[in-house]
Amino acid sequence: MTTPFPFTAVVGQDDLRLALLLNAVSPAVGGVLVRGEKGTAKSTAVRALSALMPTLDVVSGCRFSCDPGYPDPGCPDGPHEPGAFETRAARMVELPVGASEDRLVGALDIERALSEGVKAFEPGLLADAHRGILYVDEVNLLHDHLVDLLLDAAAMGASYVEREGVSVRHAARFLLVGTMNPEEGELRPQLLDRFGLTVEVAASREPDQRVEVVRRRLAYDDDPAAFAARWAEEEAAVRARIVAARELLPSVRLGDGALRQIAATCAAFEVDGMRADIVMARTATALAAWAGRTDVLAEDVRQAALLALPHRRRRNPFDAPGLDEDKLDETLEEFGGSDDDDPDPDPGPDGPGGGGGQPEPDDAPEGDGDTAARPEAGEGGQPQPSGAGEQSAARASEPFRTKMLSVPGIGEGAAGRRSRARTEHGRTTGARRPRGALTKLHLAATVQAAAPHQRARGRSGPGLVVRRDDLRQATREGREGNLVLFVVDASGSMAARQRMSAVKGAVLSLLLDAYQRRDKVGLVTFRGTAADVALPPTSSVDAAAARLETLPTGGRTPLAAGLLRAHDVLRVERLRDPARRPLVVLVTDGRATGGPEPVALAGRAARLFAADGVASVVVDCESGPVRLGLAGQLAGELGGTAVTLDELRADSIAGLVKDVQRRAA
């Protein structure tokens, strides 16, 4: 067995270590979500925590880790005889991002269930994690159907396995710990709220600390056992402190003053629901127990807010997590209670550290709104080079709910919420012979396949004689996520501030829609003499929104270059992820300038997309009383459809078909 890196040997990351230790003291806090860039010891710290967890008493031979003092009456391995138990370490179970549903919740032997009525159940990861830790690395990349199962288990403390009327239930209470890199996409709000605490981690910029990180890692890699032995004393001390804090926890008093501060803080930051209040109360209590106190102080409430609220105050995926600490201090001072008047509370040896949000950047200067670049020429009528006449980035207008755009046909890509696809979840559309393990039984088709053979198989009783060849897998149709590639015209013809603000607002709205539908997104921009890949395809719509916010405008309109660059991005992405179908969203007024025959060249580039069958939509940004209709012509070349900014709104009265398969007449 591999020797884990010692928890106490992790350098820095005080907030991360504190959040994990508080959950070890009080699992009712609800777990930890660790957000941060790659290479910041997220996974190392989480895996090291399992060695510090107190041991458990479990019923001997129970695959579901039942507590011998309070065995689960519905345990599939029960009923349990009193007295027989064993002591073992708490488990840390890792849930792979690509795990199947059966691997997570367990599986029934469908053939035996139909033919013999026997509930032959093989437990899954939720059973293994009961009374332990369930760790999900890259939790933001977890498929939606697994997220739904985690949400159900976390809410009910139990897992249910249903297969055509045959069901098994077992207890599943675990400490949920997830790590993620925000650059790869955000979590669904429902799962985000299930994490009790959240921590932002980043690599230290202090040279001495970075040197120590490297020194310890090299020493561990050279001899893990010897390195762990050097930290054994510190590990034992922390383990003993966790046990002592657990014993003290029931005696900790959460006074009315602290409760008022908790309620006032949650109200001041406008968090949804009451879960934040409960998590803050449990966290503050655990902080007091960890510090060896029986009273919750104002400092405990403050640290609990910094850990429990940042991920709950976000209103959309583009909001940066964090808290205004000045506002937090004002709220705590205003609602301070008489039982929290200790002027210099002792937070304990490993007590609360820093944390919370980052300061908001100052608004970018708006500049002179009358200095929009002319699309074709600079001063004296001379052509502008790339970057000439560049405007400061316009702020996006308020996002709105967009109409749904989808890819025609039926795909087989990753589960999502945009286009039709054959998936493991959705409405049943037919049946087929299973390829590999049976996951979704089509009962009627199975019975129909087995019925003609009952006499030949010697059936004599009421039971149906079912064999492996009779089983039929249900084919289902659901929704998939797509690659939505935005190709944005940032040339001088789009540079008028009010117009570009509306364009950015529309793209931001489409990005928000892509986040909700679990798409990958990419961003290609073109201006001056060239096109740039502002953001390669990624699951992080936050990154796309950040690139969009700082997008400069000005210069000529190299439309053909933008289309060719987008075509190249799709070609490469098709090799990486062939099952994910693309949707190109071209945001332009349709004009093309610069170079010989720019319009004809753009038309030839557009026809490449039509030849490949790529679904596309052109968002027509042309404005003014006289319109040339160039965007509509371009949509015809692409084999897609054109919509105006007004037609893009979900509440628009303009007729916009939902699917982009409508071709130009």
Side-chain angles (χ1 to χ4, degrees), residues 225-259:
F227 183 81
R230 290 202 298 271
W231 292 89
E233 186 176 343
E234 288 83 351
E235 293 280 287
V238 173
R239 190 180 301 110
R241 189 175 172 190
I242 291 174
V243 173
R246 280 193 172 191
E247 294 174 351
L248 182 62
L249 189 65
S251 303
V252 175
R253 186 177 70 91
L254 183 65
D256 289 342
L259 281 173

Side-chain angles (χ1 to χ4, degrees), residues 459-481:
R459 173 184 170 184
S460 58
L464 189 68
V465 181
V466 179
R467 294 181 179 172
R468 174 69 186 176
D469 290 343
D470 302 326
L471 300 178
R472 294 296 182 268
Q473 174 85 24
T475 58
R476 300 192 174 192
E477 183 178 306
R479 293 280 171 177
E480 67 177 0

Side-chain angles (χ1 to χ4, degrees), residues 17 143 145 181 222 307 333 397 401 410 435 489 551 617:
R17 291 188 293 130
H143 290 305
H145 66 283
N181 184 346
D222 287 342
L307 293 172
E333 183 177 354
S397 62
R401 188 168 65 90
I410 301 179
R435 295 191 290 267
D489 184 350
L551 177 65
V617 59

Side-chain angles (χ1 to χ4, degrees), residues 287-311:
L287 280 162
W290 178 247
R293 290 185 269 100
T294 56
D295 286 314
V296 173
L297 305 179
E299 183 61 28
D300 299 326
V301 176
R302 185 182 192 278
Q303 183 63 46
L306 293 174
L307 293 172
L309 298 188
H311 61 301

Side-chain angles (χ1 to χ4, degrees), residues 398-482:
E398 191 69 21
F400 52 85
R401 188 168 65 90
T402 66
K403 287 186 182 291
M404 173 142 169
L405 304 172
S406 62
V407 177
I410 301 179
E412 295 182 344
R417 300 191 183 94
R418 184 172 296 279
S419 304
R420 295 172 59 196
R422 286 180 285 271
T423 63
E424 289 295 320
H425 300 269
R427 63 184 182 89
T428 301
T429 58
R432 60 171 174 80
R433 291 182 181 272
R435 295 191 290 267
L438 179 71
T439 55
K440 297 291 182 182
L441 178 73
H442 194 296
L443 182 59
T446 298
V447 172
Q448 187 176 11
H453 308 291
Q454 296 305 295
R455 181 175 296 178
R457 293 173 182 173
R459 173 184 170 184
S460 58
L464 189 68
V465 181
V466 179
R467 294 181 179 172
R468 174 69 186 176
D469 290 343
D470 302 326
L471 300 178
R472 294 296 182 268
Q473 174 85 24
T475 58
R476 300 192 174 192
E477 183 178 306
R479 293 280 171 177
E480 67 177 0
N482 298 112

Side-chain angles (χ1 to χ4, degrees), residues 133-155:
I133 302 172
L134 181 63
Y135 171 49
V136 189
D137 193 15
E138 306 294 351
V139 64
N140 50 325
L141 303 182
L142 203 62
H143 290 305
D144 275 357
H145 66 283
L146 298 182
V147 171
D148 293 337
L149 293 170
L150 276 182
L151 289 172
D152 290 342

Side-chain angles (χ1 to χ4, degrees), residues 494-572:
M494 303 280 289
R497 180 169 300 281
Q498 185 175 4
R499 184 178 177 193
M500 198 60 196
S501 177
V503 168
K504 285 188 175 182
V507 178
L508 195 65
S509 302
L510 289 166
L511 282 171
L512 182 59
D513 181 69
Y515 163 76
Q516 294 168 341
R517 300 191 188 282
R518 310 296 286 177
D519 295 316
K520 291 180 71 174
V521 297
L523 178 62
V524 173
T525 64
F526 56 93
R527 55 184 289 271
T529 61
D532 296 312
V533 181
L535 183 72
T538 175
S539 297
S540 176
V541 295
D542 300 51
R547 301 289 198 282
L548 180 71
E549 187 68 23
T550 58
L551 177 65
T553 58
R556 293 183 180 276
T557 311
L559 178 57
L563 291 171
L564 290 173
R565 181 57 64 91
H567 188 267
D568 189 56
V569 170
L570 293 184
R571 178 184 60 81
V572 174

